[in-house]
C-alpha cells in the first residue's frame, strides 16, 4: 500500500453498474471516532461542519480534508489559531496513513483504514456538455444526476477553467425547470454600483441614469435557474440582500416600495475558498451556508490526466467541424503524451485554447507541445485569423499589457492601480488571476 494513498479506484460491475471504492478515513476527537469516505470533509466549531470540534481555540470553519487524486490533502481555512500536522504548523499538507492534527489547542487523530468504502459513479463519460472518463468526474456526474432532480440551492467550487458554468447549465437542463430560462450573472465583472440593479432590477428614476424600469436577473430567471458566477467577488454590503432573496424567495427592485415573489433555483460558483473567506470576515457565514446547501467540487485537470486525451480529441473534432480546412492529425501519440504531462493551470479552458491553436496554426512539435507564440504575431497576421480567435487574442493581449503596465506604474499596489484605471478592485484582481500576472 503506497504511503498517503487513499486508493480511489473503479470496480467494473459484472451485470451490475460500475462503482468506485475509496479507503475510509477515521477521525477521533476525545473518545469519539467518526468514519468518512467522502471527497471533502470540513472541520471546525460550526455545527454545519462535517466534524464539529467544540473548543474555544477552534475557528468555526477551521480546516478541510479533501481527496486529490489518490491522496488526502489538509487545508487550513484561514483559522485564527492555526492548524498543525504532527506538531508542525501547515497551510496545506498531504496526510500520511495516520497521525495527529492540531486545530488551535484541540487534537484530532486520523487514520486511513484498509477497508474500502463504495461510492456511486455515473455510467457514462458525459453529463450535459461536460466530459470526463476519470473516476473523479464520473463520481461528480453521479452526484450531479441526483442534484439535478431537486430545487435546492447549490454551490460549485473549482479553479478557473474547470467548467463550473457548464455544471450550472447541465443541472438546469436535467431539472424540471429545463423549459424555463437559464440566466447567468458574473458577479466579478460588474462594478459594485451596478450589481444590485443587475440582480434585482430597478424602477424608473431609481438613480441617475435609470430612464426606464428594468427587470433584474432574478425576475428574468423566474421559473428557471439563475447562475451566479464568481459569487466570491460579491460586495459584502450587498450580501444581506442576496441572503433575503434566497431565504424569502422575494425580491424588490431598486426604487420599488414592495417585494414580490420569485420562483428561481440558484446555482452559485466561485474559484475562491468561501469557507476561508468566512473565517477572514470577507464573506457572510449565513450566506455561505445558504448557498452551500449542496456543495460541489470540480477537480482541476491536473488531478485527472485520464481525461486529457478524451477532451483534446473532442475539441479537435469540434474545431474541424467549424473549420474544415484546419490542420488534421495534430494529436499524435507523442503530442498526447506531452499534453498529459502538463499541469494545465488554466484547466480545461487552457487545454481547449491550446488544441484550437494547434489545429488552426500548423500543429505542434512533438517535443514542444506549445504552438508558436501567438502573442508575437503581427496585427496584419492576426487579421487573417478566424474572427472569434482573432478577437479573443487581441482582447487577451490588451488586458495583459494594460494590467501589467498599470501594476508597474502603481509599484505593484493593486488598490492604487484600480483607482488609476477606474476599475473595481475585485475586477482588477480577476484580470490578474486570469492572465497569471501574480
Amino acid at each position: 500500500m503506497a504511503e498517503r494513498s487513499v486508493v480511489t479506484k473503479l470496480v467494473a460491475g459484472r451485470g451490475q453498474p460500475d462503482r468506485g471504492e475509496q479507503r475510509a478515513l477515521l477521525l477521533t476527537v476525545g473518545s469519539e471516532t467518526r468514519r468518512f469516505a467522502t471527497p471533502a470533509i470540513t472541520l471546525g466549531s460550526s455545527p454545519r461542519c462535517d466534524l464539529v470540534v467544540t473548543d474555544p481555540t477552534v475557528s468555526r470553519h477551521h480546516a478541510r480534508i479533501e481527496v486529490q487524486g489518490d491522496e488526502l490533502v489538509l487545508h487550513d481555512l484561514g483559522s485564527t489559531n492555526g492548524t498543525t500536522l504532527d506538531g508542525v504548523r501547515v497551510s496545506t499538507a498531504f496526510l500520511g496513513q495516520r497521525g495527529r492534527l492540531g486545530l488551535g489547542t484541540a487534537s484530532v487523530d486520523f487514520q486511513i483504514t484498509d477497508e474500502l468504502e463504495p461510492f456511486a459513479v455515473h455510467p457514462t463519460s458525459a453529463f450535459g456538455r461536460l466530459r470526463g472518463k476519470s473516476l473523479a468526474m464520473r463520481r461528480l456526474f453521479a452526484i450531479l444526476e441526483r442534484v439535478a432532480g431537486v430545487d435546492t440551492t447549490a454551490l460549485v467550487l473549482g479553479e478557473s477553467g474547470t467548467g463550473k458554468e457548464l455544471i450550472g447549465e447541465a443541472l438546469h437542463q436535467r431539472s424540471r425547470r429545463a423549459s424555463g430560462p437559464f440566466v447567468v450573472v458574473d458577479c466579478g465583472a460588474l462594478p459594485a454600483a451596478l450589481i444590485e440593479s443587475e440582480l434585482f432590477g430597478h424602477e424608473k428614476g431609481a438613480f441617475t441614469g435609470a430612464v426606464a424600469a428594468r427587470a433584474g436577473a432574478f425576475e428574468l430567471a423566474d421559473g428557471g435557474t439563475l447562475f451566479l458566477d464568481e459569487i466570491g467577488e460579491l460586495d459584502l454590503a450587498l450580501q444581506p440582500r442576496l441572503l433575503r432573496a434566497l431565504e424569502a424567495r422575494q425580491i424588490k427592485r431598486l426604487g420599488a416600495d414592495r417585494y414580490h415573489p420569485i420562483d428561481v433555483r440558484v446555482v452559485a460558483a466561485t474559484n475562491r475558498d468561501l469557507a476561508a473567506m468566512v473565517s477572514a470576515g470577507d464573506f457572510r457565514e449565513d450566506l455561505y451556508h445558504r448557498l452551500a446547501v449542496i456543495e460541489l467540487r470540480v477537480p482541476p485537470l491536473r488531478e485527472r490526466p485520464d481525461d486529457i486525451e478524451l477532451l483534446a480529441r473532442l475539441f479537435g473534432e469540434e474545431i474541424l467541424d467549424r473549420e474544415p480546412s484546419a490542420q488534421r492529425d495534430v494529436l499524435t501519440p507523442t503530442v498526447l503524451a506531452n499534453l498529459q504531462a502538463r499541469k494545465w493551470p488554466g484547466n480545461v479552458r487552457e487545454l481547449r485554447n491550446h488544441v484550437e491553436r494547434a489545429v488552426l496554426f500548423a500543429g505542434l512539435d512533438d517535443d514542444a507541445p506549445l504552438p508558436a507564440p501567438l502573442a508575437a504575431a503581427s496585427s496584419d497576421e492576426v487579421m487573417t485569423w478566424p474572427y472569434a480567435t482573432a478577437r479573443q487574442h487581441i482582447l487577451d493581449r490588451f488586458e495583459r499589457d494594460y494590467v501589467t503596465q498599470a501594476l508597474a506604474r502603481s509599484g505593484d499596489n493593486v488598490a492604487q492601480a484600480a483607482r488609476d484605471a477606474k476599475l473595481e478592485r475585485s475586477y482588477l484582481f480577476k484580470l490578474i488571476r486570469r492572465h497569471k500576472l501574480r
Side-chain angles (χ1 to χ4, degrees):
M1 179 174 61
E3 183 69 1
R4 297 197 306 261
S5 177
V6 294
V7 192
T8 52
K9 65 177 184 177
L10 181 67
V11 180
R14 296 180 178 178
Q16 299 293 328
D18 291 350
R19 70 180 191 275
E21 289 184 340
Q22 175 187 322
R23 295 192 189 279
L25 175 67
L26 302 182
L27 296 177
T28 302
V29 181
S31 60
E32 181 184 359
T33 297
R34 292 192 56 194
R35 184 185 186 96
F36 296 92
T38 58
I41 306 158
T42 55
L43 302 86
S45 60
S46 169
R48 293 179 179 268
C49 288
D50 299 306
L51 183 73
V52 179
V53 183
T54 52
D55 185 281
T57 65
V58 177
S59 297
R60 291 182 62 78
H61 299 271
H62 198 107
R64 180 176 64 249
I65 299 172
E66 63 184 14
V67 176
Q68 290 185 5
D70 281 344
E71 298 177 313
L72 285 177
V73 181
L74 170 70
H75 301 278
D76 179 82
L77 298 178
S79 63
T80 301
N81 295 303
T83 300
T84 62
L85 173 58
D86 294 329
V88 178
R89 185 158 181 166
V90 298
S91 173
T92 298
F94 291 106
L95 297 186
Q97 296 300 117
R98 63 178 67 236
R100 173 166 292 186
L101 307 179
L103 310 183
T105 60
S107 295
V108 179
D109 292 323
F110 69 88
Q111 178 185 352
I112 299 176
T113 70
D114 290 331
E115 296 83 17
L116 293 172
E117 296 277 349
F119 57 82
V121 297
H122 199 265
T124 72
S125 59
F127 188 84
R129 290 199 292 150
L130 293 158
R131 295 292 184 272
K133 67 177 184 179
S134 64
L135 181 57
M137 290 303 288
R138 289 181 60 187
R139 183 179 197 173
L140 176 62
F141 293 166
I143 296 171
L144 292 175
E145 195 74 69
R146 298 177 61 186
V147 173
V150 298
D151 262 354
T152 308
T153 303
L155 176 63
V156 186
L157 303 174
E159 296 177 7
S160 294
T162 50
K164 297 186 291 296
E165 186 174 332
L166 293 184
I167 287 181
E169 178 187 284
L171 289 176
H172 173 72
Q173 292 173 344
R174 299 290 186 99
S175 74
R176 66 175 182 83
R177 299 175 174 272
S179 60
F182 177 70
V183 177
V184 178
V185 175
D186 187 341
C187 299
L190 292 170
L194 296 180
I195 187 68
E196 189 170 9
S197 172
E198 182 72 20
L199 288 174
F200 305 114
H202 61 258
E203 298 293 349
K204 181 179 179 179
F207 53 85
T208 303
V211 296
R214 181 180 182 275
F218 271 95
E219 289 182 75
L220 296 174
D222 198 37
T225 302
L226 174 59
F227 183 78
L228 298 177
D229 199 10
E230 301 300 344
I231 192 67
E233 308 296 337
L234 189 66
D235 188 83
L236 196 60
L238 186 56
Q239 292 177 22
R241 285 209 62 186
L242 178 58
L243 178 64
R244 177 184 172 85
L246 294 173
E247 290 185 335
R249 296 293 165 176
Q250 294 180 331
I251 60 108
K252 182 172 70 172
R253 291 183 179 183
L254 289 174
D257 56 4
R258 68 179 62 182
Y259 286 89
H260 65 268
I262 49 167
D263 175 25
V264 173
R265 184 194 189 169
V266 173
V267 178
T270 182
N271 60 10
R272 302 184 68 179
D273 194 327
L274 289 194
M277 292 180 67
V278 169
S279 296
D282 295 329
F283 201 87
R284 290 180 61 107
E285 182 176 12
D286 48 4
L287 177 57
Y288 167 65
H289 289 305
R290 191 64 187 83
L291 291 169
V293 178
I294 298 173
E295 194 169 278
L296 303 163
R297 294 185 177 274
V298 193
L301 191 55
R302 63 181 173 275
E303 291 180 14
R304 46 189 183 98
D306 290 348
D307 292 337
I308 290 175
E309 179 176 352
L310 171 71
L311 293 168
R313 293 193 184 281
L314 174 67
F315 298 152
E317 291 168 2
E318 289 177 351
I319 295 159
L320 286 168
D321 286 343
R322 191 178 73 236
E323 300 285 345
S325 62
Q327 182 81 15
R328 294 181 180 273
D329 302 321
V330 169
L331 300 174
T332 65
T334 303
V335 166
L336 288 170
N338 284 332
L339 296 182
Q340 289 175 324
R342 292 172 60 89
K343 296 301 184 184
W344 300 109
N347 292 293
V348 178
R349 181 186 296 123
E350 182 185 3
L351 175 63
R352 184 187 187 95
N353 292 342
H354 185 77
V355 172
E356 181 167 5
R357 292 195 299 269
V359 173
L360 292 176
F361 302 104
L364 302 169
D365 295 331
D366 285 347
D367 60 349
L370 281 174
L374 301 185
S378 67
S379 297
D380 289 342
E381 183 182 353
V382 170
M383 294 307 166
T384 67
W385 297 353
Y387 172 79
T389 305
R391 179 181 180 277
Q392 188 62 50
H393 171 75
I394 292 170
L395 178 59
D396 287 346
R397 186 160 61 182
F398 163 75
E399 288 182 344
R400 183 171 54 251
D401 292 348
Y402 186 93
V403 173
T404 298
Q405 293 182 33
L407 290 172
R409 287 193 299 269
S410 68
D412 212 30
N413 184 316
V414 176
Q416 184 60 50
R419 286 193 293 270
D420 293 343
K422 294 182 171 54
L423 286 174
E424 291 291 323
R425 186 167 59 174
S426 61
Y427 186 61
L428 181 57
F429 270 119
K430 183 175 181 178
L431 292 176
I432 291 170
R433 290 195 302 272
R434 177 185 299 166
H435 297 289
K436 301 177 181 63
L437 297 178
R438 277 188 168 180

